[in-house]
Every structure is written in C-alpha cells, then in structure tokens.
Amino acid sequence: MKSIAAEQHSYGPVSRGEILSRIASKLDLEGMTTDQSLVHLFQAKPQAFANHNMNHLLAGTVLKIPPVNSETLPTGYEASQLVDEHYRLWKKRLWIQREVTP
C-alpha cells in the first residue's frame, strides 16, 4: 500500500469506488485514530461527499489534507460517535432506496 506524506495538502482526484477509510489509511496523520482521521478529512471538505455523509465520497473530487490542529480535533470517542452516526444514516438511506426502487 502506497503511503501519502502528511505534508501533501491534497489527495485526488478520487477514483470511482474509492472509500474514505482506505484513503485515510494511506495518510500519515500521526497521533490520530482512524476515526479522527476520517472526521478530519470529512470536515476539511464536506462538499466532497454526497448527502453530507462521509460514506458517500464523490468520484472526481480532490480532498484537502489540512494540518492537524489538536485544539479543534475531536477526541477519539467523539470521532467514533460521528463515524458511527454517519454509517448508520448511510445504511438507513440505502434501505430506504431499496424499498422505493422497483
């Protein structure tokens, strides 16, 4: 797996099928949990995600990789809660679409 230097300020364009967790795992964001990395990337450019959900990354977008500010970074617990909420809402939306789609 190719590592991306933290000094790099962007990633992309995102290919179809790429997911935020794989991108985050390539980044060298020291001192952050995986969930903190996901929230950090999502909050840097929320318009890169459909339905305001970190599980729906739009192909073709370029993600910003801002410097990590420990004062504004959510705790590991807070990040985990947000990631769980986004996942739950994403799954719910998929189920609703299946019920509506013939």
Side-chain angles (χ1 to χ4, degrees):
M1 180 183 301
K2 182 182 168 196
S3 181
I4 301 168
E7 297 80 38
Q8 185 174 334
H9 300 291
S10 63
Y11 175 89
V14 172
S15 300
R16 184 171 185 201
E18 273 192 288
I19 57 175
L20 189 59
S21 60
R22 277 203 207 113
I23 293 169
S25 71
K26 295 177 186 180
L27 299 174
D28 186 20
L29 299 173
E30 293 183 26
M32 296 173 71
T33 66
T34 300
D35 288 343
Q36 285 174 311
S37 296
L38 295 174
V39 171
H40 180 68
L41 294 170
F42 172 73
Q43 290 178 339
K45 192 170 182 183
Q47 66 272 24
F49 302 84
N51 306 314
H52 307 289
N53 192 299
M54 68 177 69
N55 294 292
H56 199 163
L57 182 57
L58 297 170
T61 194
V62 175
L63 293 175
K64 293 180 188 176
I65 306 172
V68 178
N69 180 347
S70 60
E71 293 178 12
T72 60
L73 187 67
T75 66
Y77 178 78
E78 292 168 335
S80 178
Q81 293 294 106
L82 185 61
V83 169
D84 288 347
E85 178 71 5
H86 276 243
Y87 181 75
R88 186 183 64 73
L89 291 171
W90 177 71
K91 289 299 273 187
K92 181 179 179 181
R93 186 174 190 93
L94 289 178
W95 280 108
I96 289 171
Q97 287 175 348
R98 287 183 186 154
E99 291 174 5
V100 173
T101 304

